[in-house]
Amino acid sequence: NAGVTQTPKFQVLKTGQSMTLQCAQDMNHEYMSWYRQDPGMGLRLIHYSVGAGITDQGEVPNGYNVSRSTTEDFPLRLLSAAPSQTSVYFCASSQSILGHGYTFGSGTRLTVV
Amino acid sequence: QQPVQSPQAVILREGEDAVINCSSSKALYSVHWYRQKHGEAPVFLMILLKGGEQKGHEKISASFNEKKQQSSLYLTASQLSYSGTYFCGTEGGDSGGYQKVTFGTGTKLQVIP
């Protein structure tokens, strides 16, 4: 049981490049979310999903896209990377929000130059 | 809008107690608590549901005041292993409804010998 797996662990992008951060969970969790963590800002919600085919925006969705074609996978796409997107990105999943907490992946440290 | 945590930082000696507070300006359905050690992912501690009982395990417990939209995390007889940054996550209230959890900016706790 691997839990929540994020790849890559580190990435450097040039401004304007696009990329996809991968997230997979093997716990059959319905809910999945993407957060970014910046110093002094805590964890800010980018996008979330309550099941395959259903996604919604969080607090800071601009510049990011998501899709959820399967229960297991929830990739995050950066459309045109900007230095402001330099951050640590965490994917998290939960069996159900009511009564269950999130399991977090180990994170992806992204630097945009 | 993120819930507000206080204090922002606290230093304790081993064996001392601490209280971390989390508040929202709107009604809350649940409050989550997580601990994150430096360079690692957040780890779920506990969740408190509206109308539910106070939760806790070992020397870490929490309460949820629904009328005041506040939650407090209590750490008693602190140990060195308690060091880290503590985040509260709220569902409903400032996060806008079910299924998405909005996190505060964190409380950095350091326990010294």
Side-chain angles (χ1 to χ4, degrees):
Chain A
N1 210 358
V4 179
T5 302
Q6 289 185 240
T7 56
K9 292 193 182 301
F10 302 93
Q11 183 70 49
V12 179
L13 285 180
K14 293 183 178 180
T15 297
Q17 287 185 318
S18 62
M19 81 159 294
T20 300
L21 307 185
Q22 301 292 344
C23 175
Q25 52 91 9
D26 61 359
M27 298 173 284
N28 201 32
H29 285 174
E30 299 100 336
Y31 299 138
M32 297 185 75
S33 295
W34 276 102
Y35 291 89
R36 60 177 289 175
Q37 186 172 35
D38 304 293
M41 304 290 288
L43 294 152
R44 292 184 292 169
L45 181 64
I46 305 172
H47 285 285
Y48 68 103
S49 170
V50 300
I54 306 170
T55 64
D56 204 349
Q57 296 181 350
E59 306 164 82
V60 289
N62 292 340
Y64 307 94
N65 272 357
V66 292
S67 61
R68 184 114 178 256
S69 56
T70 67
T71 299
E72 295 77 20
D73 300 300
F74 190 41
L76 178 72
R77 284 182 289 277
L78 279 70
L79 308 174
S80 177
S84 61
Q85 293 179 304
T86 293
S87 187
V88 179
Y89 292 84
F90 286 103
C91 177
S93 73
S94 171
Q95 182 175 9
S96 150
I97 285 294
L98 293 179
H100 294 273
Y102 269 125
T103 299
F104 280 81
S106 57
T108 294
R109 184 173 295 274
L110 176 69
T111 302
V112 183
V113 298
Chain B
Q1 194 164 356
Q2 294 176 291
V4 177
Q5 283 187 239
S6 62
Q8 289 185 319
V10 60
I11 299 176
L12 300 174
R13 292 198 179 276
E14 272 187 292
E16 291 183 336
D17 302 339
V19 180
I20 300 172
N21 300 303
C22 175
S23 65
S24 171
S25 58
K26 298 182 181 179
L28 299 177
Y29 300 109
S30 74
V31 179
H32 300 221
W33 286 99
Y34 294 78
R35 177 170 62 207
Q36 184 181 32
K37 294 190 178 285
H38 183 69
E40 299 180 6
V43 174
F44 174 69
L45 294 175
M46 65 188 75
I47 184 171
L48 299 102
L49 303 178
K50 182 178 179 179
E53 299 176 352
Q54 179 170 337
K55 294 223 172 182
H57 60 91
E58 296 182 350
K59 297 175 182 176
I60 301 176
S61 62
S63 63
F64 180 18
N65 186 323
E66 299 164 26
K67 290 184 178 179
K68 294 185 177 180
Q69 294 94 54
Q70 293 176 347
S71 178
S72 294
L73 184 72
Y74 306 95
L75 300 100
T76 58
S78 59
Q79 305 169 13
L80 294 175
S81 62
Y82 287 2
S83 293
T85 300
Y86 290 78
F87 292 98
C88 71
T90 57
E91 182 187 2
D94 290 334
S95 68
Y98 287 109
Q99 302 161 350
K100 58 179 181 179
V101 177
T102 304
F103 287 91
T105 54
T107 295
K108 187 172 184 179
L109 185 142
Q110 183 181 2
V111 181
I112 58 176

